[in-house]
């Protein structure tokens, strides 16, 4: 089954958000472990976690869309 253009765009954004969010989360955690960089680590990790969570929610949204 081939995805229509809007569905393909949504799928692209899903994986960008998940992988980009997880990468940013990991970099934030690693940065926050450095001496004096805790604030920057949190400032990176929280948006990364939010982006990954949005990607997961979009997987659910995509599963509920019709393939017309």
């Amino acid at each position: 089954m081939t995805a229509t253009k809007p569905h393909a765009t949504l799928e692209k954004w899903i994986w960008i958000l998940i992988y980009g969010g997880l990468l940013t989360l990991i970099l934030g955690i690693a940065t926050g472990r450095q001496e004096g960089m805790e604030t920057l680590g949190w400032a990176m990790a929280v948006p990364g976690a939010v982006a990954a969570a949005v990607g997961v929610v979009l997987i659910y949204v995509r599963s509920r869309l019709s393939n017309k």
Side-chain angles (χ1 to χ4, degrees):
M1 217 167 31
T2 61
T4 60
K5 179 92 169 132
H7 289 186
T9 304
L10 180 61
E11 288 176 14
K12 178 180 72 171
W13 278 106
I14 287 169
W15 296 114
I16 289 171
L17 285 169
I18 290 175
Y19 285 121
L22 290 176
L23 177 65
T24 307
L25 173 66
I26 295 302
L27 289 174
I29 291 170
T31 301
R33 299 183 102 192
Q34 301 298 317
E35 185 74 28
M37 301 289 276
E38 295 86 9
T39 304
L40 179 60
W42 278 104
M44 292 173 65
V46 171
V50 170
V54 168
V56 170
V57 169
L58 285 178
I59 289 176
Y60 175 76
V61 170
R62 170 64 180 95
S63 73
R64 306 312 279 165
L65 292 175
S66 64
N67 285 331
K68 292 183 182 179

